[in-house]
Amino acid sequence: MTKVIGVISIKGGVGKTSTVISLGASLAKDFNQRVLIVDANFSAPNLGHHLGLIEPEKTIQDVISDKADIKDVIHEHEESGLHIIPAAMIARKVQDPFALKKKLNSIKKYYDYILIDSSPALNEEIVSAMTASDELFVVTTPDHPTLSCTLKAIKVAQQKNVPITGIILNKVRNKTYELSVDEIEKAAGIPVIASIKEHHYAVEAVAHQSPITTFREKSPISIEYKKLAAAMTGQHYMDPRFHARVVDSFRKTQPKEVINRHVLYYS
Ligand SMILES: Nc1ncnc2c1ncn2[C@@H]1O[C@H](COP(=O)(O)OP(=O)(O)O)[C@@H](O)[C@H]1O
Ligand SMILES: [Mg+2]
């Protein structure tokens, strides 16, 4: 059964596109899944840019306006095995918010996972991504302004009846001034399923036009995405860092986000 997962937040710069690429690349390369990533950030797309796909000839907008067949706009990223549908930077109102869902339905069977990157604007673009998804991951950073946007995103998804599986907490510095996993979960009523550190490798990966999970495969950011991908597929993943394994073995309890990942095994 294909899972179509929308990655959302009503704020730019929190890590939606990075998450779609890193998680998608790990699912494809580390866990042997057939993965398609789709840019549904129609007015400010950049999924292709992160992977060196600059100014593609045919895009998702051509598919939605019936100018191209969806199979003809799928690009392959050799290094990771990801399939990508990019978008073009043309500001045009989404006429039918169900069009994306309808178009994706015709190719769903070829994939294990379809991850949808979305627009941070609270308009028909995010609704289009939500309605095309079977479930959602919400990306947030651990600060009050972003959390308030996250709560709004959750409310909109609930109004649209699209289930939210979990929150991906990104750009974590482990500082006392940050909101904790517990505080975020309490405010949102949704489990945090990954806690990703802030590190310049994430920015370097974009400059290198590679997913961080292949560019810096043993970095803490990559390992957290790989652990999330492992939980999603029900596969085992061993942390390659000896030190981390030793620290883990002495822990009395696992971090909250690790425990929460059990929701993914049964979904
Ligand atoms: N964990 C992280 N640590 C440091 N920088 C990050 C991290 N995740 C993302 N970034 C950087 O933040 C910027 C915005 O990320 P992006 O994924 O484009 O966000 P969004 O899609 O939500 O707008 C990019 O430059 C990206 O490299
Ligand atoms: Mg983005």
Side-chain angles (χ1 to χ4, degrees), residues 16-17 41 46 117-118:
K16 292 179 291 302
T17 304
N41 185 357
N46 49 35
D117 189 15
S118 65

Side-chain angles (χ1 to χ4, degrees), residues 7 9 11-18 39 41 44-47 50 117-120:
V7 177
S9 77
K11 195 166 194 291
V14 295
K16 292 179 291 302
T17 304
S18 304
D39 200 343
N41 185 357
N46 49 35
L47 191 65
H50 280 236
D117 189 15
S118 65
S119 160

